[in-house]
Amino acid sequence: MNAVFEGRKAAFLGGDRRQIWIVEEAVKAGFEVSAIGCPPEIEEFTGKPQESSIDDAVRGADAIFLPIPVHSSRRDGSLYSDNEPFPLFLTDECLNLAKKGAVVLVGHSPADLKDSIRRLGFHLEEFEEDDERAILNGIPTAEGVVAITIQNTEECFPTMKCMVIGFGRISVTLARDLRRLGAEVWVAARRPEVRARALQMGFHPLSMEEYMDDIGEMDVIYQTATAVLMDREALSRVRPDALVVEMASPPGGSDFEAAKELGTRLVWARAQAGTAPKAAAGWQWNLNARLLKEHWGL
């Protein structure tokens, strides 16, 4: 890509190792980059240290790149970062330091952040629901979840019964990979046509009225839906030796407090696309660059 964004400034806030290659592409495309909470390797491409405050990173920015997921696991409203110097909070006052009408790019924006961005007159680009990106991100996400399963179980896949709750773009890939590894796979889905597709693909389909009846038979349950389907009642039916893998973005679809009280083995597999950061970064940058060019008419 030529320097199509020459003369514009991009602020990168937090994130994981995907930011290394996204920043590299942003610099190649002509952006002046400021950052905070990103991997130190980005400084090879920006040619300068990261900022000492989030205000300095955002000041004068034409585009603000937020991390995936956007918030940390602390649930205090801070931004997700593998390399944060301190908790990063994107306040209204901070946002107002960007250029008027700046573009904020985020996978999924929580309601309060979305309201702030729009109320302050900035342009919001959410790309979590982009089909191409979601399908591609499903590849490393499924790989990462398989690795988590191996690390947290004492069986091999051909001896395991696995349940995938939800059958969206990422969970389709996960269910397929589990089956290819030899696991017997059940799929719980709301819509009858989705359950029909699951059956056609060789899985055992379950409705949302049926899935809890089979939870107690499962070795691993993968929760991918955005609703809280692994609630206290569902978790109480999980075998003590079984594993629950929560895959939904914050706030997730499992009752984490109930899991602690019940002694359920629950792993929150967040940001698994980051397990293949270079590939995921390439897909994300291509989408982000397209959105920016369309918005700015470039």
Side-chain angles (χ1 to χ4, degrees):
M1 178 182 291
N2 56 21
V4 64
F5 300 123
E6 189 74 44
R8 300 179 190 268
K9 178 179 177 181
F12 286 82
L13 311 179
D16 55 26
R17 291 186 61 78
R18 281 174 283 189
Q19 301 291 57
I20 298 171
W21 292 278
I22 296 175
V23 167
E24 179 184 15
E25 293 301 322
V27 171
K28 288 179 181 177
F31 271 121
E32 174 194 350
V33 170
S34 61
I36 188 169
C38 293
E41 291 90 337
I42 71 161
E43 295 170 15
E44 175 184 346
F45 308 114
T46 63
K48 62 181 181 180
Q50 296 187 53
E51 305 297 338
S52 58
S53 74
I54 191 169
D55 286 359
D56 289 339
V58 171
R59 185 173 285 108
D62 298 279
I64 301 172
F65 291 76
L66 297 184
I68 299 177
V70 66
H71 285 322
S72 72
S73 59
R74 289 188 294 268
R75 302 192 181 191
D76 59 358
S78 61
L79 297 179
Y80 173 72
S81 171
D82 285 348
N83 301 269
E84 61 180 9
F86 40 77
L88 303 173
F89 294 96
L90 186 61
T91 64
D92 286 5
E93 292 76 17
C94 177
L95 273 170
N96 269 327
L97 294 173
K99 287 185 181 175
K100 191 66 175 176
V103 181
V104 181
L105 299 110
V106 58
H108 170 71
S109 178
D112 56 344
L113 180 58
K114 184 180 301 186
D115 290 343
S116 291
I117 291 169
R118 290 175 171 167
R119 175 169 41 81
L120 296 172
F122 297 105
H123 179 77
L124 177 66
E125 287 286 0
E126 293 182 285
F127 51 85
E128 185 176 76
E129 295 304 315
D130 180 84
D131 284 331
E132 180 184 9
R133 175 189 169 274
I135 291 168
L136 291 171
N137 268 0
I139 302 169
T141 297
E143 290 179 358
V145 169
V146 165
I148 286 173
T149 304
I150 293 170
Q151 293 164 3
N152 288 276
T153 57
E154 296 182 352
E155 297 277 357
C156 56
F157 285 104
T159 66
M160 288 197 292
K161 293 181 177 181
C162 300
M163 179 185 288
V164 178
I165 300 176
F167 205 51
R169 293 160 299 189
I170 291 175
S171 47
V172 166
T173 301
L174 172 63
R176 180 206 63 185
D177 289 355
L178 294 171
R179 180 66 185 275
R180 287 178 174 176
L181 287 166
E184 193 170 1
V185 180
W186 280 255
V187 169
R190 294 188 185 280
R191 305 202 317 269
E193 67 273 22
V194 175
R195 297 195 295 272
R197 177 61 69 189
L199 177 64
Q200 182 268 331
M201 294 177 69
F203 310 124
H204 302 289
L206 296 168
S207 70
M208 290 306 186
E209 291 73 36
E210 297 171 325
Y211 78 100
M212 281 207 293
D213 294 336
D214 291 287
I215 278 182
E217 302 298 319
M218 298 296 136
D219 297 293
V220 188
I221 300 102
Y222 302 91
Q223 202 306 113
T224 74
T226 54
V228 181
L229 297 177
M230 290 305 292
D231 56 13
R232 180 178 292 273
E233 182 181 357
L235 291 167
S236 69
R237 301 189 185 196
V238 175
R239 293 199 327 260
D241 62 326
L243 174 69
V244 178
V245 182
E246 173 60 55
M247 295 175 58
S249 299
S254 297
D255 187 332
F256 295 95
E257 290 302 317
K260 289 179 183 178
E261 293 172 12
L262 294 167
T264 307
R265 296 200 305 138
L266 172 59
V267 176
W268 199 354
R270 306 179 71 203
Q272 288 303 301
T275 59
K278 187 172 184 179
W283 300 326
Q284 185 175 326
W285 168 254
N286 289 338
L287 173 59
N288 288 170
R290 174 170 60 80
L291 293 172
L292 289 172
K293 286 190 288 184
E294 289 173 356
H295 176 69
W296 287 329
L298 301 176

